[in-house]
Amino acid sequence: LTAALVPSWNNGSFALLPDVQLETFIPDKNLVLQAGIKGNYVRQTFRTLAGQIPWIQQPTELTHAKNTEVFVALKGKINEAFAFRIKGSYQRRNNAALMVNDTKDGKTFNLLFEEAMNIAGASAELTWQKTDRITWSNQLTLQAFSGQKTAQKAFGMLPFEWQSNFRMKVLDKLTATADAYAFLPTWHLNRDGKVRQGNSAFDLNLGAAFDIMPKMHLWLQFHNVLNNTYQRWNNYQVLGFQVQGGVIVRF
């Protein structure tokens, strides 16, 4: 058991944030149970927000989001190769930066700071590792948003995300990769100002890297192999199937 109170400041405003976490081992099941309550500030500087979406309008003011999370999690190993962690949580978030598209052209986004919102979430992680030659990791995140006081919807936030990453050392000098990504869309505004949710997405990438010598290797990437069309952000459709390659030299 660890327990702490973390003094924090945001734009001159003081808050004492909790950090209480309990972890216990269940010997009969070879599992670890975790639970706790944790408060923190989510950084929302212009740099972090523009890194998330580069098409935002210049904000007139900025503030960090205050987040308090209550969670319970279970982690363990199915066998020597498989490890997992599942988690359920409830978050109360104040001043979250939501990305609302401009209805005039639909291609620029305004920041809307949500006064308060609830986020009920569940996540799962599964990893399979076979010696040092094969690694397969998966992450699944589900989120439900409610209680908004400022915005109609949680604009810019995804209700569902799934990532899968596979790495295999085929030969001593050859590594193959495969990455898959899927999500359910966020909300945006139509030209008439009505709220709309976009289409779901699935993306598959393949790659390979070959070590020519200790400080030089070749790489090849196939992006969006299935040539799917989707938008993470309104009116910004991803590119279709692409092939990229190159040489990396280290001095």
Side-chain angles (χ1 to χ4, degrees), residues 53 55 101-109 186-191 196 198-199 230-239:
I53 171 173
W55 308 287
N101 61 291
D102 191 326
T103 55
K104 294 180 181 179
D105 61 11
K107 292 186 176 182
T108 55
F109 293 79
T186 184
W187 295 266
H188 64 268
L189 297 177
N190 284 340
R191 288 186 178 273
R196 182 180 180 274
N199 299 319
Y230 65 90
Q231 301 176 72
R232 170 61 178 91
W233 300 102
N234 185 51
N235 281 332
Y236 287 94
Q237 183 171 300
V238 298
L239 297 175

Side-chain angles (χ1 to χ4, degrees), residues 208-248:
F210 183 76
D211 295 327
I212 302 175
M213 26 174 107
K215 293 186 178 181
M216 178 185 294
H217 73 264
L218 300 172
W219 62 272
L220 185 65
Q221 286 284 332
F222 300 92
H223 298 285
N224 198 0
V225 174
L226 302 179
N227 198 31
N228 288 334
T229 56
Y230 65 90
Q231 301 176 72
R232 170 61 178 91
W233 300 102
N234 185 51
N235 281 332
Y236 287 94
Q237 183 171 300
V238 298
L239 297 175
F241 176 67
Q242 310 156 64
V243 181
Q244 294 180 322
V247 181
I248 295 179

Side-chain angles (χ1 to χ4, degrees), residues 167-180:
R167 301 286 182 274
M168 180 178 181
K169 203 167 186 178
V170 182
L171 302 170
D172 289 339
K173 295 185 178 182
L174 177 63
T175 302
T177 63
D179 302 296

Side-chain angles (χ1 to χ4, degrees), residues 1-25:
L1 173 68
T2 60
L5 292 173
V6 183
S8 304
W9 287 263
N10 175 40
N11 291 342
S13 176
F14 173 78
L16 200 58
L17 304 178
D19 187 1
V20 180
Q21 298 186 55
L22 172 69
E23 184 171 291
T24 181
F25 180 63

Side-chain angles (χ1 to χ4, degrees), residues 3-62:
L5 292 173
V6 183
S8 304
W9 287 263
N10 175 40
N11 291 342
S13 176
F14 173 78
L16 200 58
L17 304 178
D19 187 1
V20 180
Q21 298 186 55
L22 172 69
E23 184 171 291
T24 181
F25 180 63
I26 306 174
D28 295 342
K29 303 294 184 180
N30 196 29
L31 298 173
V32 175
L33 177 65
Q34 301 169 318
I37 176 171
K38 184 175 178 62
N40 68 297
Y41 277 104
V42 180
R43 294 190 64 188
Q44 294 180 161
T45 64
F46 184 70
R47 180 175 182 177
T48 60
L49 295 173
Q52 181 182 355
I53 171 173
W55 308 287
I56 59 173
Q57 295 279 12
Q58 175 70 44
T60 57
E61 61 178 350
L62 287 170

